Amino acid sequence: MSVMYKSTRNSNDTVTASEAILKGLSDNGGLYVPDSIPKLSVDLNELAKMNYQQVAYEVMSRMLTDFTEDELKHCINSAYDKKFDTPEIAPLTRRAGANYLELFHGSTIAFKDMALSILPYLLVTSAKKNNVKNDIVILTATSGDTGKAALAGFADVPGTRIIVFYPKNGVSPIQEKQMVTQKGDNTSVIGIIGNFDDAQTGVKNMFNNKALAKEMDDKGYQFSSANSINIGRLVPQMVYYVYAYTRLVANGEIKAGDKINVVVPTGNFGNILAAYYAKEMGLPIAKFICASNENKVLYDFFETGVYDKNREFILTTSPSMDILISSNLERLIYRIAGDDSAKDVELMNALNSQGRYEITQEMKEKLSEFYGNYASEEETAATIKRVYESDGYIMDTHTAVAATVYEKYKADTKDDTPTVIASTASPYKFTRSVMEAIDPSYSSQSDFELVDELNKLSGVKIPQAIEDIRSAEILHDTVCDKSEMEKEVRRILAI
C-alpha cells in the first residue's frame, strides 16, 4: 500500500514520502502527516529475532513507500553502523524498577543521532529520486542536541549546506562546545540573542518566505529541515519503540501482544509522537506518559485542553526541553480533530496571534491515552542522586525528568504495566548538572574535570564525542540578534 503525506493545514496538499522529506514544511506552513499508517507486516515474535537494522527496515518500509528496498537498506545500513558504540544501537537496560531505552550511543551522545544519522541519506536519495539540481540548505533551530547531531550527519555531504541557530545562553557548555567546534566546509553555526522558541520561529519564517525561496532558487539553493518537523526525522524515531518492545519479548519480560507504557521527556513533542505513530502501526502501547520540566506547557495542555505559551520561559538543567511552542503537537492536534485541516488552521492561527488555543471537549476525550506531568529542578536533581545511590546508574537531566514523572504516574494510578523510559542523552553531555545533583561540592571543578569525575563514579567509558572536544578549536563564533537570522543566512549563502 502506498502512503502519501498531506499537510496539516491543507488536506489536498499531498506529496510522496521523498517529496515530504525534501520540503520539510509544506508551502502553507503545515506539517506533513501520513494519509494512513499501515500495520506492521511481520509478527512481533519474528521482529524479536531481528537486529536493529532489520527492525528499522520493517518499520520504515511501511512508511516510506516510494523508496525501493535497495535504497532504504542502503540508508539504514549506512546510518546504523560503527558510529554507534554498541552493536545493539539502542540497548535496553533495567535499573531502579524501570526499563531505560538508551538512545545516546551515537556519535553525538543524544537521541537525535537515532534519526539524524539516517536523514542525510534519506535526503540525498530523495533529491535524486526527484531530479533536484539545487544544493539543499538544511536550516535548523536547536535547543542543544539536534544542532550537533545534524551538523555531524551533514558535514561535507555533497550537494548540501547546513546552518544551525541555537540560543546563545540556553544550551549546556558541552552542547555549545560540540557545535562550535564542528568541522566541515558546508557547516555554519550561529548563536542568537534569544531563546529556542525565537530560533524556531525565525527558521519557520524563512521557510515561509516565498521571496527568499525565489532568490535562493536563482542561486541554486533550496531549504530543507533537519528539525523534528521533517517526516524524515519522525519515521526513524518510530523504529526504536518497536525495537524496545521486541527486546522485552526476546528477554521474556513480556509476551507478544502484552501492553507496555512509554515515558518520554519532551519539549517539541516529536519523540513521543513517534511512539504514538508506532502504536497506530500496531505496537501494543497503553499509555504515553509525557514528561515536562518546569516549562510545563504540555502538562497544562493535557490537564486542561488549553495550550498557552504566554508564560515565563525558564532556563533549566534540561535545556533541550526548554520549549514553549511544541511544533510536533500540531500533528496530534490534526489527528484528534479528525484530520480536519480547517480546524487545525484555526487553532494554529490562534496560537500565532494570541499565544494560546483551546481544543474542543470531543478532541480532549481523544487524548485519554496520554498522561502529562512535570518535574521541578529540585525533583530532577533528587532523582539523579537517588538512582545513583540505589543502583549505581547515572542518568542525564532529561532522563531524570522522565524518571521523576514516571514515579508520579505510578503514585497517581497504581499502574504496574511494564514500562520503557526513553533515555535521551548521555550524562556526559550535562556533566555539571549531573555531578552537582549527586554532590554539590563538585561545583568548584571545571567542566572537563567533572567529565573525569563522572567516569570514576559511573565506570562508563568517556564517549569519543567528549574526548574530541577537550582541546578542539572554536570554528564558529558568530552571534546575532534573533531579528537578524535571515540576514545571516543571506550572508552565508551570498544572496
Side-chain angles (χ1 to χ4, degrees), residues 154-276:
F154 283 94
D156 292 324
V157 171
T160 70
R161 302 283 300 267
I162 177 163
I163 304 170
V164 170
F165 290 96
Y166 74 96
K168 175 62 183 166
N169 298 309
V171 300
S172 80
I174 297 285
Q175 285 177 312
E176 182 171 44
K177 190 84 183 284
Q178 282 188 299
M179 287 189 282
V180 299
T181 58
Q182 176 65 50
K183 297 176 181 177
D185 292 339
N186 64 337
T187 64
S188 300
V189 181
I190 301 165
I192 70 157
I193 307 304
N195 59 41
F196 170 74
D197 289 335
D198 297 323
Q200 183 167 251
T201 298
V203 164
K204 281 186 175 180
N205 288 343
M206 282 184 272
F207 267 99
N208 293 328
N209 187 330
K210 301 293 190 292
L212 178 60
K214 173 70 169 62
E215 290 180 68
M216 288 181 60
D217 187 54
D218 291 343
K219 289 282 190 176
Y221 295 119
Q222 67 187 67
F223 281 140
S224 189
S225 172
N227 278 83
S228 57
I229 55 174
N230 193 315
I231 201 70
R233 276 276 305 274
L234 201 56
V235 170
Q237 288 180 284
M238 295 167 64
V239 173
Y240 49 72
Y241 292 106
V242 177
Y243 182 75
Y245 185 94
T246 62
R247 293 321 94 177
L248 291 174
V249 172
N251 296 341
E253 295 184 46
I254 62 172
K255 291 186 176 67
D258 290 350
K259 289 192 173 182
I260 65 166
N261 294 333
V262 294
V263 189
V264 188
T266 191
N268 219 10
F269 207 73
N271 199 0
I272 197 166
L273 184 71
Y276 179 80

Side-chain angles (χ1 to χ4, degrees), residues 427-445:
Y428 281 102
K429 201 149 193 167
F430 303 94
T431 45
R432 180 164 299 282
S433 297
V434 167
M435 295 301 286
E436 289 180 4
I438 291 170
D439 187 341
S441 68
Y442 282 116
S443 61
S444 61
Q445 298 190 32

Side-chain angles (χ1 to χ4, degrees), residues 289-310:
I289 300 167
C290 179
S292 300
N293 63 18
E294 289 183 354
N295 293 292
K296 57 186 182 69
V297 63
L298 286 168
Y299 164 64
D300 291 340
F301 170 71
F302 285 116
E303 284 288 292
T304 66
V306 176
Y307 192 97
D308 190 345
K309 74 179 184 69
N310 300 312

Side-chain angles (χ1 to χ4, degrees), residues 317-351:
T317 54
S318 47
S320 298
M321 297 160 64
D322 290 348
I323 295 170
L324 295 180
I325 304 173
S326 300
S327 288
N328 271 289
L329 185 63
E330 180 173 348
R331 286 185 162 113
L332 181 65
I333 294 298
Y334 177 79
R335 178 58 60 92
I336 63 174
D339 292 0
D340 182 344
S341 54
K343 184 64 177 177
D344 181 77
V345 168
E346 174 196 325
L347 295 173
M348 295 308 121
N349 284 345
L351 181 64

